Amino acid sequence: MPTTRATRDGFRMSDVLVVALIVIFAVLPFPDETFRTTGMLLIPALAPAVIIPFRRRWPLAALGVSLACVVAVAAAGSISPSALLAVAIACYAVLDGLGRRIGLLALGASVVVAFFADGWALEGDLFDSTALQFILIIVLGGALGDTARSRREFAVAMTERAERAERNRDDEARRRVAEDRVRIARDLHDVVAHQIAVISLNAGVASSSLETRPERAREALTTVRSASRTVLADIGGLMTLLRADTDADTDTAEREGELRPQSGLTDLDALLAGFRAAGLRIDLRSPHHSLSLSPAGDHVAYLVLQEALTNAHKHGRGGTATVALRTEGAAVHLTIVNPTASESSDPPRAGHGLRGLQERIAAVGGAVHFGSEGGVFSLEVWIPTEAAAKP
């Protein structure tokens, strides 16, 4: 409230100052009698002081009244400095409040009217130096008004730009948070889902074999223990990554690369051995040693096989799966096929694992297709080779 009151008082003081200047210029005894307004001429000389305080609300009306007073005094053979000063002040208000186009038209008309009115009062002497000074004051008033308006519009534009930039930063922050949530969910699934599935399956094997085949139960429990250690270590690494300082610009990328699971097709034998130990029979149709993938594509290929074999072990029928890897042109083609528990040909619903795989495959420029037909589920993935992935 103090700021509003001070602003309001400032407007009042400026109005008082403007009225005072008009009155002073009306009664000031100029050396040249042509610029003196006495007797009845004081009425049109002082009339602008009545309308000028309302120049912000009615700028054109204030300008029109001031010009009329200039013409009225000129018709009597005199020049009214107070009315000309009022014209300059009104031109300031017009250019400040109504914009440049209307303001320049009003300023031009005011200069023309004042110029010829002064020439009329001076009996045709259009270039009297004193009269021209008041014409320059009118032009200066208009220029100052245009400057004030431009500065105000610039300040408003800068404020809007700052607000828009802040909104964009908020939108970008929300977008990054959403992306981070998806990435965390995807990484958490990659780290946890496979090992938990191994733990669950081997726990079932141990439970069913505890009395009949204790050595088999012992092997399954050993696998459970190993998988538990692996998943705890992976979760610990993921938590360390999430808690890392995101503003550090030196070792963040290296630390992220060290903490994230970055297995590739070189670990395929160990992956297949783990599933075979859990009871899944896997038929590997093609060798993978000649496949040339980028590091990102190699990691995605590993995740595809891990997810597909996990689903085959958990949801498949018969405990069998077929894996085929081959190169097709500029892409590596991975196919995983396994019998399903249902004979329905309806396409399966994409769970979190398959949805995450679709996102990862799309990120490396690959393609994926999966479906179920005749009681057989198939997952086909195409991942660009390292040469094709380079821009």
Side-chain angles (χ1 to χ4, degrees):
M1 293 304 294
T3 302
T4 304
R5 189 180 300 113
T7 304
R8 203 161 45 233
D9 292 342
F11 288 156
R12 291 173 183 172
M13 290 301 299
S14 65
D15 292 339
V16 170
L17 179 61
V18 167
V19 171
L21 287 175
I22 293 174
V23 172
I24 291 172
F25 271 73
V27 300
L28 194 67
F30 286 89
D32 192 341
E33 293 184 357
T34 306
F35 293 92
R36 294 180 184 177
T37 52
T38 58
M40 295 299 294
L41 290 180
L42 282 174
I43 296 176
L46 292 174
V50 179
I51 189 65
I52 279 297
F54 302 98
R55 65 192 182 279
R56 299 182 189 87
R57 183 178 299 178
W58 304 306
L60 290 177
L63 180 60
V65 170
S66 300
L67 286 174
C69 293
V70 170
V71 175
V73 174
S78 297
I79 296 176
S80 174
S82 59
L84 290 170
L85 179 63
V87 170
I89 296 171
C91 284
Y92 178 99
V94 170
L95 277 155
D96 183 31
L98 299 182
R100 182 167 293 171
R101 175 181 294 182
I102 296 177
L104 290 178
L105 291 175
L107 177 62
S110 302
V111 169
V112 171
V113 171
F115 180 75
F116 285 105
D118 291 347
W120 186 14
L122 295 172
E123 297 179 353
D125 187 5
L126 296 175
F127 299 100
D128 181 80
S129 59
T130 307
L132 289 177
Q133 289 178 5
F134 286 102
I135 299 299
L136 292 177
I137 291 176
I138 294 174
V139 174
L140 179 61
L144 292 176
D146 184 67
T147 301
R149 178 190 52 78
S150 298
R151 289 183 61 184
R152 186 175 62 254
E153 291 179 352
F154 177 77
V156 171
M158 289 298 99
T159 302
E160 292 178 351
R161 182 177 179 180
E163 293 175 351
R164 185 166 58 250
E166 185 175 356
R167 288 195 298 269
N168 290 339
R169 283 196 298 269
D170 293 340
D171 294 340
E172 179 67 14
R174 284 192 291 269
R175 185 185 66 81
R176 288 181 178 273
V177 168
E179 290 180 352
D180 285 343
R181 286 177 177 173
V182 173
R183 178 180 60 81
I184 291 169
R186 196 163 52 216
D187 289 349
L188 192 60
H189 179 274
D190 293 342
V191 168
V192 176
H194 168 65
Q195 299 296 340
I196 294 298
V198 171
I199 292 172
S200 175
L201 292 171
N202 281 276
V205 171
S207 176
S208 60
S209 306
L210 188 60
E211 295 181 357
T212 59
R213 299 179 60 187
E215 68 284 355
R216 176 63 174 163
R218 198 161 31 248
E219 292 176 1
L221 291 175
T222 301
T223 303
V224 168
R225 184 177 183 183
S226 175
S228 301
R229 289 178 177 176
T230 301
V231 73
L232 288 175
D234 289 343
I235 290 176
L238 182 60
M239 292 300 103
T240 303
L241 174 63
L242 295 177
R243 292 171 180 172
D245 183 8
T246 57
D247 294 329
D249 56 358
T250 56
D251 299 330
T252 302
E254 297 178 2
R255 190 163 57 242
E256 183 175 341
E258 292 174 0
L259 295 177
R260 285 192 182 188
Q262 294 293 334
S263 302
L265 291 181
T266 55
D267 304 311
L268 180 59
D269 292 337
L271 178 68
L272 298 182
F275 279 104
R276 285 166 176 160
L280 181 65
R281 296 188 302 277
I282 302 173
D283 180 15
L284 181 61
R285 293 289 178 86
S286 302
H288 61 276
H289 60 273
S290 62
L291 303 179
S292 177
L293 291 170
S294 64
D298 190 42
H299 180 53
V300 169
Y302 179 88
L303 294 177
V304 167
L305 293 172
Q306 184 184 70
E307 179 66 24
L309 293 176
T310 300
N311 289 339
H313 201 180
K314 289 171 59 178
H315 309 297
R317 176 172 51 88
T320 61
T322 301
V323 176
L325 298 91
R326 62 182 179 273
T327 301
E328 291 184 358
V332 172
H333 184 195
L334 287 78
T335 305
I336 302 92
V337 179
N338 64 274
T340 61
S342 173
E343 296 292 334
S344 173
S345 60
D346 296 333
R349 294 176 54 188
H352 296 295
L354 289 177
R355 194 176 302 118
L357 282 184
Q358 289 175 315
E359 295 170 355
R360 286 191 180 275
I361 293 167
V364 297
V368 59
H369 173 74
F370 58 88
S372 180
E373 183 176 358
V376 176
F377 175 80
S378 63
L379 173 67
E380 293 185 86
V381 175
W382 292 265
I383 301 176
T385 60
E386 185 173 13
K390 292 180 180 180

